[in-house]
């Protein structure tokens, strides 16, 4: 009996010690900050001031961001543009920065018309796994959509830790393509954060992926009207689109994504288009042209005149200049990032746009290039015209106005105080690159 008693006492003691150890571990680990900021110190690129850094988010990974303060007077009073691209396109640190409107182009020639002349620019490689942003460990799944949104909130806090002087600057969150899937929930989150909500003034969405399966239902009509396919091809595409839409309706989101992401090959191989670039349909291709997700990478290489692809440029030119470790390979985890988004990519987020319009003070600007077939304008208008918010009737009753700039018709607009939509002429997915005149005009009005 005595031995039993001793055994029980020893067991209780061991449990108590183990519990104390767990408690001590929890107390110590709970004191660790949720993120840390790692500023990069390299040999610099050009003579325009910037900050490049990683925000290391505990348990998630490193978010890369690159900030250029505006060259305009009183920079802290000027708008701060946060720019995101998403999982299937080229990262913002390359495409928006060097390809579109950053201080330098891909040849490291200074741009006279860079947006840095008027705006503070904060380029973010998101989601984690794209660009220079990398997961904490390569042997585990990359962060989901919700986890990426939380990491981007930490990134913004990290930015303010370095640049506290910008805490009162007006913020506009901007995206292109499926970057909208990060921006929309991030805006919703930031609008609820007391220490930053007043600074969030607007969201600016270029060719957004909001209800992709619904937009796809207009693709056959769109391509037939432009004579890329005939009636038989339209029937094939509509069958494809209806299957994609039904998969979304039945919440088979991963199957729907696999179907959706094969649309480029289907249109060219099964519907008779042969060699159309769905992101910019007026580009002439050959049947043998290589296309990745919707053809963006190869198109950008051609239009920018790159002698190597974007990843090689960023790895060999930009990485050493910023002082980034050789262990990080630019865009080296993209396929894993895409896999992490497969279960959420095809989910419609129209309700989230409605929430921003109804429940926040954030203004919404949407623009769509008329030569983008994936996010085709008729398909975009399908969800926009049925939005459920208090200003919808006023919005729909507004007269569509022409955008005449420098004597040329660059597009059309429909504008209310809360919601603005722009039809942009002679541009596909990459409106800032393909019609910069129209883009700068709408950006000016969106941030005024």
């Amino acid at each position: 009996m005595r031995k039993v008693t001793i055994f029980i006492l020893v067991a209780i003691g061991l449990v108590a010690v183990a519990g104390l150890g767990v408690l001590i571990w929890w107390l110590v680990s709970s004191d660790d900050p949720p993120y840390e900021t790692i500023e990069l110190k390299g040999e610099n690129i050009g003579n325009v001031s910037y900050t490049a850094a990683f925000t290391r988010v505990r348990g998630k990974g490193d978010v890369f961001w690159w900030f250029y303060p505006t060259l305009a007077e009183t920079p802290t009073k000027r708008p701060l543009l946060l720019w995101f691209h998403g999982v299937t396109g080229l990262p913002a640190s390359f495409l928006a920065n060097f390809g579109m409107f950053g201080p330098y182009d891909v040849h490291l020639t200074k741009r006279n018309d860079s947006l840095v002349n008027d705006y503070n620019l904060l380029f973010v490689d998101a989601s984690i796994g794209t660009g220079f942003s990398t997961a904490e460990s390569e042997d585990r799944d990359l962060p989901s959509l919700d986890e990426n949104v939380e990491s981007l909130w930490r990134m913004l806090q990290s930015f303010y830790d370095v640049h506290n002087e910008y805490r009162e600057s007006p913020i506009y969150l901007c995206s292109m393509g499926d970057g909208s899937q990060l921006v929309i929930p991030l805006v919703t989150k930031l609008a609820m954060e007391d220490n930053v909500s007043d600074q969030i003034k607007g969201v600016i969405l270029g060719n957004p992926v909001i209800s992709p399966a619904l937009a796809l239902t207009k693709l056959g009509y769109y391509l037939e009207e432009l004579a890329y396919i005939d009636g038989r091809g339209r029937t094939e595409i509509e069958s494809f689109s209806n299957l994609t839409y039904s998969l979304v309706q039945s919440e088979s989101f991963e199957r729907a994504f696999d179907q959706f992401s094969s649309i480029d090959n289907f249109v060219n191989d099964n519907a008779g288009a042969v060699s159309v670039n769905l992101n910019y349909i007026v580009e002439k291709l050959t049947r043998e042209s290589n296309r990745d997700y919707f053809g963006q990478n190869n198109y950008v290489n051609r239009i920018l005149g790159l002698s190597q692809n974007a990843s090689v440029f960023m790895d060999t030119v930009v990485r050493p200049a910023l002082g980034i470790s050789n262990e990080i390979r630019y865009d080296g985890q993209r396929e894993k990032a895409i896999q992490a988004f497969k279960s959420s990519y095809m989910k419609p987020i129209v309700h989230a746009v409605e929430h921003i319009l109804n429940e926040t003070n954030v203004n919404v600007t949407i623009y769509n290039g008329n030569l983008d077939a994936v996010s085709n304008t008729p398909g975009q208008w399908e969800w926009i015209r049925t939005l459920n918010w208090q200003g919808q009737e006023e919005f729909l009753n507004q007269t569509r106005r022409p955008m005449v700039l420098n004597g040329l018709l660059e597009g059309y607009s429909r504008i209310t105080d809360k919601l603005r939509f722009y039809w942009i002429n002679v541009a596909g997915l990459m409106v800032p690159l393909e019609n910069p005149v129209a883009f700068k005009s709408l950006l000016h009005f969106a941030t005024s």
Side-chain angles (χ1 to χ4, degrees):
M1 184 65 181
R2 182 181 178 186
K3 290 182 179 179
V4 173
T5 302
I6 293 173
F7 174 81
I8 293 173
L9 291 173
V10 170
I12 293 173
L14 289 173
V15 170
V17 170
L20 180 61
V22 171
L23 177 61
I24 292 172
W25 172 86
W26 181 84
L27 290 171
V28 171
S29 64
S30 65
D31 287 338
D32 292 340
Y35 68 90
E36 64 174 308
T37 306
I38 304 169
E39 288 192 64
L40 297 168
K41 305 295 183 182
E43 61 190 38
N44 290 345
I45 294 177
N47 57 8
V48 175
S49 176
Y50 67 80
T51 300
F54 288 103
T55 300
R56 177 159 292 168
V57 183
R58 187 173 62 182
K60 301 297 181 293
D62 295 347
V63 179
F64 175 76
W65 52 272
W66 196 339
F67 172 65
Y68 294 96
T70 182
L71 302 180
E73 295 182 359
T74 60
T76 58
K77 296 185 182 299
R78 298 294 301 159
L80 172 62
L81 305 184
L82 273 69
W83 200 276
F84 307 87
H85 279 182
V87 295
T88 65
L90 288 164
S93 61
F94 168 75
L95 183 53
N97 187 7
F98 293 101
M100 292 183 175
F101 47 73
Y104 296 92
D105 64 19
V106 294
H107 307 293
L108 301 187
T109 302
K110 194 171 183 178
R111 280 194 178 95
N112 294 325
D113 59 349
S114 169
L115 291 186
V116 79
N117 295 331
D118 300 298
Y119 303 94
N120 299 291
L121 304 178
L122 181 53
F123 299 117
V124 185
D125 284 350
S127 63
I128 290 176
T130 65
F132 283 127
S133 294
T134 55
E136 184 177 66
S137 174
E138 287 196 16
D139 60 358
R140 56 187 292 185
D141 292 338
L142 267 65
S144 65
L145 172 61
D146 291 341
E147 291 171 324
N148 269 284
V149 170
E150 181 65 26
S151 296
L152 291 175
W153 164 225
R154 298 303 183 191
M155 178 278 303
L156 186 57
Q157 293 173 304
S158 170
F159 167 77
Y160 284 138
D161 290 344
V162 178
H163 289 288
N164 185 61
E165 68 273 24
Y166 287 91
R167 283 191 180 272
E168 301 302 319
S169 301
I171 295 174
Y172 294 85
L173 289 93
C174 310
S175 70
M176 187 178 76
D178 56 24
S180 56
Q181 299 195 337
L182 287 168
V183 166
I184 294 297
L186 181 59
V187 168
T188 301
K189 179 175 180 58
L190 296 180
M192 297 186 295
E193 298 288 345
D194 292 338
N195 54 350
V196 74
S197 59
D198 289 344
Q199 280 65 59
I200 308 300
K201 303 300 183 182
V203 55
I204 303 171
L205 309 172
N207 294 53
V209 177
I210 303 294
S211 186
L214 181 61
L216 195 64
T217 62
K218 293 296 182 179
L219 179 60
Y221 157 77
Y222 174 83
L223 291 177
E224 186 183 19
E225 290 298 301
L226 293 172
Y228 279 98
I229 59 174
D230 59 12
R232 182 177 298 177
R234 176 173 176 173
T235 299
E236 291 290 334
I237 291 176
E238 288 181 345
S239 176
F240 180 99
S241 302
N242 290 336
L243 174 57
T244 308
Y245 189 73
S246 67
L247 288 171
V248 171
Q249 293 297 100
S250 64
E251 300 187 355
S252 301
F253 296 118
E254 294 196 15
R255 288 180 59 199
F257 175 82
D258 289 337
Q259 174 89 349
F260 179 74
S261 61
S262 69
I263 184 61
D264 188 292
N265 290 331
F266 184 89
V267 167
N268 288 295
D269 296 339
N270 298 79
V274 179
S275 57
V276 62
N277 175 1
L278 294 185
N279 277 164
Y280 189 66
I281 61 170
V282 295
E283 186 194 21
K284 294 181 180 180
L285 301 175
T286 66
R287 182 184 287 274
E288 292 75 25
S289 296
N290 293 321
R291 292 181 288 269
D292 50 10
Y293 287 97
F294 314 118
Q296 186 184 109
N297 292 12
N298 293 304
Y299 167 65
V300 168
N301 290 344
R302 290 189 292 272
I303 196 171
L304 297 182
L306 269 178
S307 58
Q308 73 273 57
N309 66 37
S311 294
V312 173
F313 170 78
M314 296 298 284
D315 274 333
T316 60
V317 177
V318 177
R319 182 175 61 186
L322 296 181
I324 296 174
S325 168
N326 290 332
E327 295 179 1
I328 297 175
R329 186 163 60 91
Y330 192 78
D331 232 18
Q333 298 177 336
R334 174 170 296 276
E335 284 304 317
K336 292 186 70 174
I338 290 173
Q339 292 300 313
F341 270 63
K342 282 183 67 173
S343 62
S344 61
Y345 191 99
M346 297 300 292
K347 291 181 180 179
I349 53 173
V350 178
H351 66 284
V353 178
E354 293 171 342
H355 173 83
I356 293 172
L357 290 169
N358 285 316
E359 305 297 335
T360 77
N361 294 320
V362 178
N363 295 327
V364 177
T365 297
I366 303 169
Y367 61 91
N368 217 79
N370 67 344
L371 301 179
D372 180 2
V374 179
S375 293
N376 60 83
T377 306
Q380 292 282 28
W381 197 247
E382 279 295 286
W383 66 265
I384 291 171
R385 68 180 179 82
T386 58
L387 282 169
N388 183 17
W389 67 291
Q390 59 265 32
Q392 182 72 349
E393 183 176 357
E394 177 193 2
F395 173 74
L396 293 178
N397 286 334
Q398 289 293 316
T399 301
R400 193 174 82 145
R401 302 174 183 176
M403 295 176 64
V404 179
L405 304 169
N406 302 321
L408 298 175
L409 179 63
E410 302 290 359
Y412 305 87
S413 65
R414 178 168 286 163
I415 296 173
T416 62
D417 290 339
K418 188 74 172 179
L419 176 63
R420 300 174 180 184
F421 185 81
Y422 292 87
W423 293 258
I424 304 299
N425 290 347
V426 199
L429 170 67
M430 293 175 281
V431 170
L433 178 65
E434 293 151 351
N435 193 335
V437 172
F439 174 71
K440 289 180 179 180
S441 175
L442 74 86
L443 183 61
H444 171 75
F445 284 105
T447 57
S448 297

